[in-house]
């Protein structure tokens, strides 16, 4: 059983026949489903919580990208004059062997959780790998593929 509720029609507040010089009043009708009260303002706790969530997400993104940049070997800082890593061989999660060139001399270093130690001074430098002129986008694609375990042709 549905009960229908009918709204009475709004009555004009001014007479129907007014002289031309008399001011007229506007007749406003509001639908029955719109309340006369304005919508409630958002709570302060909700807007502060949303702001903190957005700030947390932005900071997590910054720290995540910084961590990724340190882990990718192709995105390392530009080399410094007189000092460069010739080659590196990972031995474990934190241990690796490094051949570092200092000036004209090459050193074999062991780097691990306990620190870095000099193992040997090379009498003859390691031969340089053949230089390849790869454009930057392809070099980036190779580094990315190498990082995820896929090799490019």
């Amino acid at each position: 059983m549905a009960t229908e509720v009918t709204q009475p029609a709004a009555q004009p507040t001014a007479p129907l026949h007014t002289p031309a010089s008399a001011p007229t009043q506007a007749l406003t009708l509001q639908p029955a489903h719109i309340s006369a009260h304005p919508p409630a303002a958002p709570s302060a706790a909700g807007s502060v919580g949303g702001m903190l969530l957005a700030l947390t997400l932005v900071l997590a993104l910054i720290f995540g990208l910084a961590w990724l940049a340190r882990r990718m070997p192709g995105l390392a800082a530009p080399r410094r004059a007189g000092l460069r890593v010739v080659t590196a061989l990972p031995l474990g999660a934190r241990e690796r062997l490094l051949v570092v060139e200092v000036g004209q001399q090459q050193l074999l270093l062991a780097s691990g959780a306990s620190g870095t130690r000099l193992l040997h001074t090379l009498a003859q430098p390691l031969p340089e790998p053949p230089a390849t002129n790869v454009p930057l986008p392809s070099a980036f694609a190779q580094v990315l593929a190498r990082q995820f375990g896929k090799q490019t042709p």
Side-chain angles (χ1 to χ4, degrees), residues 18-82:
T18 57
S21 63
T24 59
Q25 294 180 344
L27 178 64
T28 58
L29 296 176
Q30 288 187 349
H33 66 277
I34 296 179
S35 76
H37 302 291
S43 68
S47 56
V48 170
M51 181 181 63
L52 288 177
L53 178 66
L55 178 64
T56 303
L57 289 175
V58 168
L59 289 176
L61 180 68
I62 289 171
F63 284 117
L65 290 175
W67 177 82
L68 184 65
R70 282 185 297 156
R71 295 286 180 196
M72 295 191 72
L75 299 177
R79 69 178 188 188
R80 297 174 188 359

Side-chain angles (χ1 to χ4, degrees), residues 4 11 54 61 74 76 98 136:
E4 275 190 46
Q11 298 295 326
L61 180 68
L98 302 162
L136 187 59

Side-chain angles (χ1 to χ4, degrees), residues 53-117:
L53 178 66
L55 178 64
T56 303
L57 289 175
V58 168
L59 289 176
L61 180 68
I62 289 171
F63 284 117
L65 290 175
W67 177 82
L68 184 65
R70 282 185 297 156
R71 295 286 180 196
M72 295 191 72
L75 299 177
R79 69 178 188 188
R80 297 174 188 359
L83 180 68
R84 74 179 177 110
V85 176
V86 176
T87 187
L89 176 67
L91 299 175
R94 295 183 180 177
E95 297 83 19
R96 68 181 61 179
L97 288 176
L98 302 162
V99 176
V100 178
E101 184 176 84
V102 180
Q104 298 298 321
Q105 195 173 27
Q106 288 187 351
L107 308 171
L108 178 63
L109 304 174
S111 176
S114 62
T116 304
R117 293 185 293 160

